Amino acid sequence: MPPAFQLLLALLIFMLIHISVMAACARLFGITVRSVSYGVGPTLLTLGKVKIRLLPLAGSLMLKDTREETLYDDDPCLDAYNFQPLWKQFVLPLSGVAVLLALSLGIMGASGWDSFVAAFGQIIHGALAPLSAAQELLGDGATFARTHGFALVFALCSFKLCAFNLLPFAGLNGGQALLAIARGGKPYVAWEESVAKWLLLPGLAILLAWVVAFCWYGWKALPV
């Protein structure tokens, strides 16, 4: 199986598990799920609350939340995410990552923990140098994919994606959990919106840098 196809398949499986676990966790916690989106971009198919989108690169979960929608005055909001106890607001965004981390450790074994810990530094280092350091990391990943089975390739990709999602930036699971702690379990605080906007920028910058890195790596790999 070509490394590029293995990466795409690993991303797809990671996204399906990640979003599905968080949706299941929300239902378990008694939180109303407004919609579940698999992928990004234009919607290809809608099945009830589930939306299948064009690009299988990410996904999203929309929950009942008074910060995002206006509810009736007599709504007790007991099923709204931001009215849940602090521990639920903290656990929910981390649930998908926790399951994937456990699954990946089960596949790769204890040695996989080193790959997970190293991923944080690799993500930042590669984002700072997308045309050099990131290229070396992508080359190492491609070599690993050519010499190992798909299960191990998925586990390695999962470790890197788990680390990325745990970064403390808005829009990522780590940032959501961090903001929940900062709110102290309160449904709403006045400063959150402005802080979240600033915390969104580093995560976007890292993501864009890695998009550039992947595009450059793919361009160099094209036959002359």
Side-chain angles (χ1 to χ4, degrees):
M1 188 185 301
F5 183 78
Q6 291 193 65
L7 174 61
L8 182 61
L9 184 58
L11 284 171
L12 177 61
I13 296 174
F14 182 94
M15 181 266 294
L16 287 172
I17 296 175
H18 189 198
I19 301 300
S20 298
V21 168
M22 288 198 300
C25 185
R27 293 288 300 272
L28 180 64
F29 286 169
I31 302 170
T32 295
V33 177
R34 296 298 194 201
S35 66
V36 182
S37 294
Y38 294 104
V40 294
T43 300
L44 300 178
L45 180 65
T46 299
L47 301 170
K49 296 182 179 181
V50 177
K51 297 179 180 181
I52 309 298
R53 300 186 183 273
L54 179 61
L55 301 175
L57 303 178
S60 61
L61 180 66
M62 184 175 293
L63 305 173
K64 182 176 178 180
D65 192 318
T66 63
R67 298 167 300 173
E68 305 293 336
E69 58 185 304
T70 301
L71 304 176
Y72 294 110
D73 292 337
D74 60 347
D75 191 330
C77 300
L78 298 179
D79 57 343
Y81 167 73
N82 62 318
F83 273 73
Q84 302 303 308
L86 174 58
W87 71 269
K88 288 186 179 182
Q89 294 188 43
F90 177 78
V91 169
L92 177 55
L94 301 181
S95 58
V97 170
V99 168
L100 282 158
L101 188 56
L103 176 61
S104 300
L105 286 171
I107 294 172
M108 190 170 283
S111 62
W113 185 255
D114 293 334
S115 297
F116 170 66
V117 173
F120 292 95
Q122 291 169 345
I123 290 169
I124 302 300
H125 189 202
L128 292 174
L131 303 184
S132 54
Q135 300 305 303
E136 295 179 11
L137 291 169
L138 291 173
D140 292 342
T143 300
F144 186 90
R146 285 191 292 266
T147 55
H148 294 79
F150 176 71
L152 289 174
V153 173
F154 167 76
L156 184 64
C157 289
S158 182
F159 285 132
K160 309 307 179 184
L161 291 170
C162 282
F164 175 72
N165 277 281
L166 287 176
L167 293 176
F169 304 128
L172 300 176
N173 302 109
Q176 293 170 359
L178 181 63
L179 286 173
I181 293 175
R183 286 195 307 272
K186 296 178 181 178
Y188 170 81
V189 289
W191 50 261
E192 181 176 10
E193 185 175 356
S194 59
V195 170
K197 288 179 180 178
W198 283 106
L199 284 177
L200 186 64
L201 297 178
L204 284 176
I206 292 172
L207 180 60
L208 288 175
W210 275 99
V211 169
V212 170
F214 274 104
C215 291
W216 182 246
Y217 186 85
W219 176 262
K220 292 195 304 178
L222 291 174
V224 178

